[in-house]
């Protein structure tokens, strides 16, 4: 707006000046060679302005003619520069697309047009990498380290090549040299930190972290966490040789990162041994609030040696209140209740996490199996053991896809510091058609059948079949009453309430003669006579060398035809090997 007003003001001023000159009666007089020349003021001013413009034009034309070669050379250089930049751009695109030959061609074109630009060697090195020529790539990177503007870039290329071929020593040398040349370069400091951590030089790694913090490469929260991790690793190394130093280092780490589990556990255990229970409990409670972990629960419950199981259960309830009754807290309370033989309390504590929607994990299922087993519920214990085999996995220490049962300061996969996190491992991918383990329910008789000491429970095995045609009826055999005396009974009773009396025993010779056929024959119908008592005993096993028949325990099943078959027809057999 102000510019428009100023422009209008100038136009008005020029118009006013022109009108004034036109109306002015003044004249301009000049004498030349005895003659006097006179013109009006307006004509004189106009002529002077035109003469000045003409002189300026002539001077500019002369200057342009004089500078024409320089101007033409500058234009040619600009055109070459634009072509060179275009070649560099096309070369970078070719490297990204995997065209090594095109990238080398564009790199040569860019070098010819631009002379020796910093990006041309980089393009050559990347083209060599794309074509698999590692030696040429390293040679190009070494050439780049000879120039000040490309030294750090060349060192990074050499560092990556050394990492690719597994030369950790050379990679560390390149990173240290890059860190000295440019202290604010993040990748070099990170590489030096990882190398020192992998070597176990915790104090050197701490100094690197402090330097990175002073340069502003990392924020203070990350710096405190990394220092705590390094101090915790140092405390674990000192645990066997220098307990006092391990305690001081672990306490420092716990102050820097209260939620760091190994530091808190180590400090709590050492303080407990020294009798400083209050300080140990404070450190463990702070760590538990930030990150509930079974190691923290174990250290907290055993702070005072010699405490009763009831005291440990009360301490576990304190942890549960701090974490708002998390799953880990419930497991700790249940464990303490089992040790106190308060099985009702243990079941009550784990009840909220046993819903089918929550899918109890392996540790929860194993805890329930232990509770049921110790309380005498063998069937329920077997059920929970079966569920534990297919239950979701519990939380573990995970870093870069590596699952560990203990915490480590450095990832064994990538060497990254503080990579391990406490979380649930990913489950295996499936098609979603597997059985629903949360809907597992055993048979009624299975949950009540007592365990037989010294015997392995196996799933039902299919009976041996004969190639001969089978009879229409398929009655199932009734199990022997005890493992010590193996009897053969009729496969099915004619009347459920009154079983038929056993037939007269046959001579031993007949039993031996007919035994192979009897072993291969299918089960006899209800009206057929049973084999003699001694036909399947230990004596016959010794004579024939046959494998002993398994002892069968009856388990009821749903009737095939309600009202048409007896109790013996509504049984199935689990094979229990003696």
């Amino acid at each position: 707006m102000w510019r428009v007003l100023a422009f209008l003001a100038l136009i008005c001023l020029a118009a006013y000046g022109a009108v004034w000159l036109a109306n002015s009666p003044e004249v301009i007089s000049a004498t030349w060679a005895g003659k006097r020349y006179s013109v009006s003021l307006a004509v004189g001013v106009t002529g002077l302005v035109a003469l000045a413009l003409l002189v300026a034009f002539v001077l500019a034309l002369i200057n342009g003619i004089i500078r024409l070669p320089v101007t033409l050379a500058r234009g040619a250089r600009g055109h070459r520069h634009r072509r060179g930049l275009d070649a560099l751009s096309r070369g970078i695109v070719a490297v990204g697309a995997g065209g090594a030959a095109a990238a080398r061609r564009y790199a040569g074109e860019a070098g010819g047009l631009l002379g020796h630009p910093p990006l041309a060697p980089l393009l050559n090195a990347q083209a060599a990498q794309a074509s698999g020529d590692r030696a040429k790539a390293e040679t190009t990177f070494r050439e780049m380290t000879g120039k000040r503007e490309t030294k750090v870039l060349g060192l990074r290329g050499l560092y990556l090549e050394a990492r690719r071929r597994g030369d950790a020593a050379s990679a560390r040398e390149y990173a240290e040299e890059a860190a000295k040349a440019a202290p604010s370069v993040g990748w070099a400091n990170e590489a030096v930190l990882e190398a020192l951590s992998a070597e176990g030089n915790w104090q050197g790694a701490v100094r690197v972290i402090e330097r990175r913090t002073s340069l502003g490469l990392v924020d203070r929260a990350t710096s405190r966490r990394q220092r705590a991790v390094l101090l915790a690793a140092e405390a674990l190394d000192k645990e066997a040789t220098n307990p006092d130093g391990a305690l001081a280092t672990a306490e420092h780490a716990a102050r820097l990162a209260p939620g760091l589990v190994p530091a808190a556990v180590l400090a709590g255990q050492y303080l407990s041994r020294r009798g400083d229970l209050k300080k140990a409990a404070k450190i463990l409670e702070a760590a538990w609030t930030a990150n509930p972990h079974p190691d923290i629960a174990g250290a907290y419950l055993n702070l005072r040696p010699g405490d009763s199981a009831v005291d440990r259960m009360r301490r576990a309830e304190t942890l549960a209140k701090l974490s708002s009754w998390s799953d880990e807290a419930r497991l700790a309370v249940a464990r303490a209740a089992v040790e106190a033989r308060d099985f009702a309390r243990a079941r009550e504590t784990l009840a909220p996490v046993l819903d089918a929607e929550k899918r109890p994990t392996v540790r929860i299922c194993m805890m329930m199996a232990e509770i049921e087993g110790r309380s005498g519920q063998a069937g329920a214990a077997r059920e929970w053991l079966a569920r534990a085999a297919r239950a979701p996995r519990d939380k573990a220490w995970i870093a870069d896809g590596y699952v560990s049962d203990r915490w480590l300061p450095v990832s064994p996969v990538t060497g990254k510091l503080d990579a391990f996190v406490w979380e649930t491992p990913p489950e295996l991918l499936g098609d979603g058609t597997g059985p629903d383990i949360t809907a597992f329910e055993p048979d009624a008789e299975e949950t009540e059948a007592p365990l037989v000491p010294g015997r392995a429970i196996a799933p039902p095995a299919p009976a041996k079949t004969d190639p001969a045609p089978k009879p229409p009826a398929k009655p199932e055999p009734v199990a022997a009453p005890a493992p010590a005396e193996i009897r053969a009974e009729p496969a099915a009773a004619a009347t459920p309430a009154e079983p038929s009396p056993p037939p007269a025993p046959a001579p031993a010779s007949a039993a031996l003669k007919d035994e192979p056929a009897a072993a291969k024959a299918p089960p006899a119908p209800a009206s057929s006579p049973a084999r003699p008592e001694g036909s399947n005993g230990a004596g016959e096993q010794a004579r024939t060398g046959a494998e002993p028949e398994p002892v069968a325990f009856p388990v009821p099943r749903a009737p095939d035809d309600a009202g048409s078959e007896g109790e013996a027809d509504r049984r199935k057999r689990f094979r229990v090997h003696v």
Side-chain angles (χ1 to χ4, degrees):
M1 182 64 183
W2 290 105
R3 292 182 179 181
V4 174
L5 293 177
F7 181 72
L8 293 176
L10 289 176
I11 290 178
C12 293
L13 184 62
Y16 176 77
V19 171
W20 182 80
L21 287 174
N23 296 329
S24 175
E26 303 295 333
V27 295
I28 299 176
S29 299
T31 303
W32 179 263
K35 292 184 178 180
R36 184 176 181 179
Y37 302 94
S38 300
V39 293
S40 63
L41 181 61
V43 175
V45 170
T46 303
L48 290 175
V49 171
L51 181 63
L53 292 175
L54 179 61
V55 171
F57 175 75
V58 172
L59 292 177
L61 181 62
I62 295 173
N63 185 45
I65 294 173
I66 294 174
R67 296 179 60 86
L68 181 62
V70 178
T71 303
L72 293 177
R74 183 183 301 171
R77 287 196 302 269
H79 181 65
R80 289 171 60 87
H81 185 74
R82 287 191 296 272
R83 288 179 58 195
L85 293 180
D86 183 67
L88 281 177
S89 301
R90 292 176 181 272
I92 293 174
V93 172
V95 167
R104 285 194 298 269
R105 184 176 71 254
Y106 286 125
E109 182 180 347
L113 293 173
L114 299 178
H116 297 284
L119 287 179
L122 176 62
L123 185 57
N124 284 323
Q126 289 181 342
Q129 287 178 335
S131 61
D133 192 353
R134 302 295 180 186
K136 183 178 179 180
E138 290 191 19
T139 303
T140 306
F141 284 131
R142 285 194 178 89
E143 293 175 356
M144 293 173 65
T145 57
K147 299 180 181 179
R148 183 179 58 84
E149 61 272 13
T150 59
K151 181 177 182 179
V152 178
L153 184 59
L155 289 173
R156 177 168 174 79
L158 292 174
Y159 166 78
L160 294 177
E161 288 297 324
R163 286 282 299 269
R164 185 176 287 109
R165 67 173 182 268
D167 190 355
S170 299
R172 178 180 175 180
E173 292 178 1
Y174 295 138
E176 290 177 348
E177 186 177 355
K180 292 178 182 178
S184 60
V185 175
W187 70 266
N189 288 277
E190 186 72 24
V192 173
L193 176 61
E194 291 180 1
L196 293 174
S197 301
E199 294 176 358
N201 188 356
W202 311 119
Q203 289 298 326
V206 169
R207 289 192 293 270
V208 172
I209 289 177
E210 292 175 350
R211 183 179 63 188
R212 294 175 64 196
T213 307
S214 63
L215 293 174
L217 299 179
V218 294
D219 57 297
R220 294 198 174 273
T222 305
S223 174
R224 288 173 62 90
R225 173 72 184 187
Q226 291 181 344
R227 288 171 57 198
V229 170
L230 294 173
L231 292 174
E234 184 180 0
L236 291 175
D237 288 348
K238 293 180 180 178
E239 184 177 4
T241 59
N242 187 7
D244 295 337
L247 174 59
T249 308
E251 285 184 307
H252 190 192
R255 286 194 300 269
L256 290 174
L260 189 59
V261 174
V265 171
L266 190 61
Q269 290 175 348
Y270 274 109
L271 290 173
S272 173
R273 295 172 190 172
R274 293 192 173 189
D276 195 351
L277 302 181
K278 185 177 180 180
K279 189 174 183 180
K282 183 178 179 181
I283 292 176
L284 291 173
E285 288 173 358
W288 177 268
T289 304
N291 185 14
H293 193 276
D295 292 348
I296 300 176
Y300 190 79
L301 266 60
N302 296 280
L303 275 179
R304 184 186 294 110
D307 278 354
S308 64
V310 177
D311 292 336
R312 289 195 295 271
M313 186 170 65
R314 291 173 182 171
R315 202 172 288 125
E317 291 175 351
T318 302
L319 288 181
K321 294 176 183 178
L322 290 175
S323 62
S324 301
W325 289 91
S326 62
D327 293 353
E328 199 61 52
R330 292 184 182 278
L331 279 170
V333 174
R335 166 59 59 189
V338 169
E339 293 177 357
R341 301 196 64 81
D342 190 353
F343 303 118
R345 173 63 172 160
R347 291 190 187 93
E348 179 185 355
T349 303
L350 294 180
V353 296
L354 300 181
D355 297 340
E357 297 180 356
K358 293 187 177 181
R359 297 188 65 192
T361 61
V362 175
R363 289 177 58 209
I364 295 176
C365 293
M366 295 299 292
M367 177 60 67
M368 286 301 301
E370 183 177 355
I371 293 171
E372 301 297 348
R374 289 197 178 189
S375 59
Q377 302 294 330
R382 288 197 300 270
E383 173 194 354
W384 283 109
L385 289 175
R387 293 184 65 174
R390 294 179 292 178
R393 302 176 67 180
D394 291 280
K395 290 184 177 181
W397 292 111
I398 304 176
D400 303 317
Y402 179 84
V403 181
S404 174
D405 56 349
R406 61 189 183 92
W407 177 85
L408 296 173
V410 179
S411 169
V413 179
T414 60
K416 182 181 178 182
L417 180 66
D418 191 24
F420 277 92
V421 293
W422 180 253
E423 61 182 20
T424 304
E427 297 185 9
L428 296 178
L429 297 179
D431 55 0
T433 60
D436 183 8
I437 64 172
T438 61
F440 173 79
E441 293 184 2
D443 295 335
E445 184 66 20
E446 183 185 355
T447 60
E448 299 176 2
L451 289 174
V452 180
R455 298 181 182 177
I457 305 297
K464 296 181 179 179
T465 58
D466 193 83
K470 298 181 180 180
K474 296 178 63 179
E476 297 188 3
V478 179
E485 183 180 2
I486 304 176
R487 298 177 179 273
E489 295 181 6
T495 306
E498 297 181 10
S500 59
S509 59
L512 290 174
K513 183 177 180 181
D514 298 334
E515 182 183 358
K520 294 182 180 180
S527 59
S528 62
R531 292 186 299 175
E533 283 189 11
S535 61
N536 197 24
E540 183 180 356
Q541 175 190 350
R543 290 190 299 271
T544 60
E547 195 173 343
E549 289 187 9
V551 181
F553 287 88
V555 179
R557 65 177 182 178
D560 298 331
D561 245 340
S564 63
E565 295 182 355
E567 181 66 17
D569 295 332
R570 296 194 301 268
R571 292 184 175 274
K572 63 182 178 180
R573 184 171 67 176
F574 276 74
R575 304 174 72 87
V576 183
H577 296 278
V578 180

